[in-house]
Amino acid sequence: MKRLHLLRHAKSAWDDPGLDDRERGLNKRGRRDGLLMGAALSELLEPTAISVSVARRAQHTLAALCDAWPALAAMEHSEDEELYTFHSDNLVRWIARQNNSLNSAFIIGHNPALTDLINTLLGRVAIANLPTAGYVQLALDIDQWGQLLHCVPSLEYHLFPKHLK
C-alpha cells in the first residue's frame, strides 16, 4: 500500500505583471493559508519529506507549512524541476520513478496537473478544482510506484483552507 499526498501551492501574487511565472511568490492570503494548512496537517500526518516544484510560490508554500509545523521543517525536502508542470501525465511519469522502498510521496505542485491527476487516478471527477493550498491524500493498493495507473486508489482525505476558517 502506497500513499500519495498532493498539495497545490497557496495563492500566488499577481501584483507585478512583469515577473516570470516561476518567480511569483505568495500574496497575503496565500501566506495565511499556508500557515493554516501547516498547522492543520501537523495534527493529521507524521512529518515527511516533501518534493516541491521549483516555482517560487511552491517554495514559499513549503516554507509556510514548515513555519506552522516545526517537525516538518526538520525534514529534508527536495525541489524538482519536473514538478513545475501543468500536465498530469508529467506527474504520473515522475511518481512512477519514485523509489519503491518509500511508502508515501508528498508533492507540492500546480493546477491543472494536480486536479487532473486526482480525477484520472480515481476514474471520475472527484474534485472539480483543487483549490490553492488544497490537500488530497490518496491510498494506492500497489507495491511499486510504476503500477500507479494499474489501480483505482481511494480518496482517503482532503482538506481545503476554506474548511479551516
Side-chain angles (χ1 to χ4, degrees):
M1 178 71 71
K2 306 266 187 215
R3 285 207 166 55
L4 187 56
H5 306 270
L6 304 169
L7 184 95
R8 183 177 173 194
H9 65 78
K11 189 75 173 163
S12 59
W14 288 88
D15 52 348
D16 185 351
L19 272 182
D20 181 70
D21 183 67
R22 291 171 182 254
E23 298 304 316
R24 287 188 293 113
L26 299 181
N27 67 16
K28 186 176 178 180
R29 180 180 131 203
R31 175 83 178 141
R32 182 193 68 225
D33 286 353
L35 293 168
L36 284 170
M37 290 299 290
L41 291 173
S42 74
E43 300 291 324
L44 299 168
L45 305 173
E46 293 296 319
T48 187
I50 295 177
S51 298
V52 61
S53 162
V54 295
R56 181 171 287 158
R57 59 193 179 274
Q59 299 288 319
H60 287 184
T61 300
L62 175 59
L65 292 176
C66 289
D67 286 347
W69 187 359
L72 184 67
M75 303 299 294
E76 188 170 326
H77 307 294
S78 61
E79 61 182 63
D80 196 311
E81 177 70 32
E82 291 181 75
L83 296 178
Y84 180 69
T85 184
F86 306 101
H87 302 285
S88 61
D89 55 336
N90 294 336
L91 292 179
V92 167
R93 283 191 295 276
W94 185 90
I95 293 165
R97 290 193 312 272
Q98 297 313 293
N99 186 328
N100 290 320
S101 68
L102 300 174
N103 289 322
S104 69
F106 195 133
I107 297 170
I108 297 177
H110 307 273
N111 254 359
L114 291 172
T115 297
D116 292 346
L117 175 66
I118 293 162
N119 293 328
T120 296
L121 293 176
L122 293 173
R124 61 187 167 84
V125 177
I127 295 176
N129 178 49
L130 183 63
T132 53
Y135 167 81
V136 167
Q137 179 178 309
L138 299 174
L140 309 159
D141 191 16
I142 56 175
D143 297 318
Q144 299 177 13
W145 289 108
Q147 300 168 325
L148 179 67
L149 294 178
H150 303 290
C151 74
V152 177
S154 60
L155 177 60
E156 282 193 316
Y157 191 80
H158 71 278
L159 181 66
F160 304 157
K162 70 179 182 181
H163 299 146
L164 303 172
K165 296 176 183 171

